[in-house]
Amino acid sequence: MGERIKTRRKELGLTLRELAERSELSAPFISQAERDLTTPSLVSLLALSEALEVELGYFMYIPEATQIVHRAAKPKVIAIDSPVTYHDLSSNLENRRLDVMYMRIPAGHVFPAGHWNGEAVYYLLKGELHVTVGQTKALLKEGDSMHFDSRLLHCGRNLSSEEALLLFVGTPSEFVAKKRK
């Protein structure tokens, strides 16, 4: 519900303070509602629906993604200029918050170091991958995994002579963010 309030407020170009004035609710309360830290009462939702110029049902609507099943015979490859092949396993959920990818990493490939505000999970399906996260260095082998705060500078290297296969799960969704720009 919070994401829908925030999205509609931004569609209308309203600040928290402006929405607070329109709805006669406090800006801190609306901020907490947008972050799902509190659940507005029916009276508050009525005030928000009027201020945001939407029906009350707008807040209750749960969008259904049209593609939640991915078939192996029709992989959804992400077009990126990279020797790594990225298969998008995520659906097209509205306001998607995470990416799930299957990555084919060629022998010798080195990822540039990077960081972002979110989390990441690596699960190595095949091969080896040397990974550095902050001060932690690890050699991942088949079946090994990592879960880390992606604000830490991190990188990976396939120093072997064989392709590595990696399952990646990360937040926030980089692909949804890019579509919004």
Side-chain angles (χ1 to χ4, degrees), residues 13-127:
L14 298 173
T15 65
L16 279 170
R17 181 171 287 144
E18 290 168 334
L19 179 55
E21 289 171 9
R22 279 187 177 197
S23 65
E24 297 180 358
L25 299 169
S26 74
F29 172 76
I30 295 170
S31 174
Q32 288 181 344
E34 285 185 350
R35 292 178 289 140
D36 290 320
L37 298 176
T38 189
T39 303
S41 68
L42 184 56
V43 172
S44 296
L45 281 177
L46 284 168
L48 285 169
S49 69
E50 285 183 30
L52 293 171
E53 303 168 7
V54 294
E55 297 291 324
L56 185 60
Y58 169 83
F59 301 113
M60 312 316 174
Y61 172 72
I62 299 173
E64 190 170 330
T66 57
Q67 184 183 9
I68 61 173
V69 175
H70 295 279
R71 300 291 179 197
K74 293 182 179 181
K76 189 168 129 186
V77 177
I78 300 168
I80 296 177
D81 185 21
S82 171
V84 176
T85 304
Y86 296 87
H87 297 264
D88 187 3
L89 304 178
S90 305
S91 71
N92 61 350
L93 286 174
E94 184 180 308
N95 299 314
R96 184 171 104 196
R97 293 192 281 290
L98 63 85
D99 289 325
V100 181
M101 288 184 278
Y102 170 69
M103 300 162 58
R104 300 180 76 87
I105 306 165
H109 182 73
V110 176
F111 289 95
H115 61 89
W116 65 87
N117 189 19
E119 294 180 59
V121 175
Y122 294 171
Y123 179 77
L124 199 64
L125 299 163
K126 177 184 170 198

Side-chain angles (χ1 to χ4, degrees), residues 90 93 95-101 114-122 146-152 154 167-178 180:
S90 305
L93 286 174
N95 299 314
R96 184 171 104 196
R97 293 192 281 290
L98 63 85
D99 289 325
V100 181
M101 288 184 278
H115 61 89
W116 65 87
N117 189 19
E119 294 180 59
V121 175
Y122 294 171
M146 301 179 79
H147 177 201
F148 58 92
D149 186 322
S150 53
R151 291 177 297 179
L152 293 168
H154 56 279
L167 178 65
F168 167 84
V169 179
T171 65
S173 174
E174 288 297 307
F175 297 101
V176 171
K178 288 177 183 169
R180 288 182 186 156

